[in-house]
Amino acid sequence: MTATRRQPAPTSPFGLGHDLRTIRVVLKRDLFRFVHDVSRGVAMLLQSVMWLFVIGVGFGSLIPRGEDDLPLTAVMFPGVIVMTVIGTAVSSAATIVTDREVGFLRGMLVAPAKRSALILGKVLSGAVLATLQACLILSVAGLAGVPYAPGLMLTLFGLTFMVGLTASAMGVFIAVSVKGSEAFMGMAQLVISPLVLLSGAMFPIGNLPSWLAAITLVNPITYVVDPMRQAVFAHLDTSPATEALFNPGITWFGWQIPWAAEVGLVAGAGVILVWLTVVRFNRSE
């Protein structure tokens, strides 16, 4: 009498490996679409360069620059990076709306893949695209008066990717919450403009009126612009007066927040946004 060989238990098609493959497929698809839509990337890059050099140089002639005659482009450099990242990350989420309109999204939903993996793939692709765009801005740091110090570039790169993840999650959340491309663009602009303008990206927040400064303190983007600016000023030779004018830091009731705590706040906001997006997407369609 021969023994019956036990058959191995069937493995779940929704394991970690399958989820990683799903994320990779979504990422590759979005990168492929971006490469074949060069005009969008060029337009965003030109807009960022205009803000950095045209606006920076123009307003620099009107704003006092302290004892060291610091160029305003160096002060604006972190803010322009953040603005580029947010714009690219949020707009990349528009593909979700397009895929829904043409019926491709429904095909993805019936595929043997977790919805959470699809969302993570979209968030990651938006962050990668935004970081690639920001790297082009980093390449002209010297023209803006920011040194090409390896430690500084690495710090800015890491912070850029982190805010890219947060902004991408925010864009995907908007995309899964609206039904049409017009509604998405309107909602995205309604969210992006206050986040950028009230983050200290274009100007330091130390001299703002108290009511406006209070609004900036609840803006998560404020807490990534400030560490970037602190990293830049750490590599500039400036006087204490110039430091106090352009890099005052963020304070809560007189306590200056360490940059590590600011990074933690932004990372926490990104995790919460990703979780909310997954929950919202699971309830949609």
Side-chain angles (χ1 to χ4, degrees):
M1 182 176 181
T2 59
T4 304
R5 180 177 298 179
R6 178 177 296 179
Q7 296 294 327
T11 59
S12 172
F14 298 104
L16 177 60
H18 185 79
D19 292 342
L20 293 177
R21 286 191 295 271
T22 301
I23 294 173
R24 184 183 61 187
V25 168
V26 175
L27 175 61
K28 289 177 63 176
R29 179 175 181 266
D30 283 358
L31 289 175
F32 182 81
R33 294 176 66 168
F34 185 80
V35 169
H36 287 76
D37 188 12
V38 181
S39 59
R40 186 181 68 172
V42 171
M44 291 182 179
L45 178 62
L46 291 178
Q47 183 184 27
S48 301
V49 171
M50 181 190 70
W51 273 100
L52 182 59
F53 293 107
V54 178
I55 305 299
V57 174
F59 278 95
S61 62
L62 303 175
I63 300 175
R65 294 179 288 177
E67 302 174 356
D68 308 295
D69 197 29
L70 181 69
L72 188 62
T73 51
V75 179
M76 292 178 56
F77 188 74
V80 171
I81 293 176
V82 171
M83 183 178 65
T84 302
V85 169
I86 293 177
T88 305
V90 173
S91 63
S92 67
T95 56
I96 295 179
V97 182
T98 304
D99 290 340
R100 181 190 293 118
E101 292 176 343
V102 300
F104 183 82
L105 181 61
R106 187 169 297 277
M108 294 175 62
L109 294 178
V110 300
K114 290 182 181 178
R115 291 191 173 192
S116 58
L118 295 174
I119 286 297
L120 290 176
K122 296 298 296 185
V123 171
L124 182 60
S125 66
V128 170
L129 294 175
T131 304
L132 292 176
Q133 284 283 99
C135 285
L136 298 178
I137 303 298
L138 289 175
S139 67
V140 298
L143 298 178
V146 177
Y148 291 108
L152 173 60
M153 293 294 107
L154 184 61
T155 299
L156 293 179
F157 179 83
L159 292 173
T160 294
F161 184 71
M162 183 184 66
V163 72
L165 286 172
T166 303
S168 180
M170 178 178 59
V172 174
F173 180 79
I174 296 173
V176 300
S177 302
V178 301
K179 296 301 181 183
S181 55
E182 295 83 2
F184 173 81
M185 295 307 298
M187 185 64 68
Q189 289 300 320
L190 183 64
V191 171
I192 291 175
S193 297
L195 285 177
V196 172
L197 294 177
L198 297 175
S199 66
M202 297 294 104
F203 46 80
I205 65 176
N207 296 324
L208 291 178
S210 57
W211 66 271
L212 194 55
I215 297 177
T216 62
L217 292 180
V218 298
N219 182 0
I221 306 303
T222 301
Y223 300 97
V224 74
V225 174
D226 186 62
M228 283 187 174
R229 187 165 286 141
Q230 290 187 37
V232 169
F233 270 78
H235 291 79
L236 299 176
D237 186 14
T238 56
S239 65
T242 302
E243 186 86 15
L245 178 63
F246 291 114
N247 188 35
I250 306 297
T251 58
W252 286 354
F253 306 104
W255 173 63
Q256 184 162 355
I257 307 175
W259 70 268
E262 294 179 312
V263 172
L265 287 172
V266 178
V271 171
I272 293 174
L273 279 171
V274 171
W275 176 74
L276 290 175
T277 304
V278 171
V279 172
R280 180 69 180 85
F281 192 56
N282 285 334
R283 295 177 179 176
S284 64
E285 302 296 330

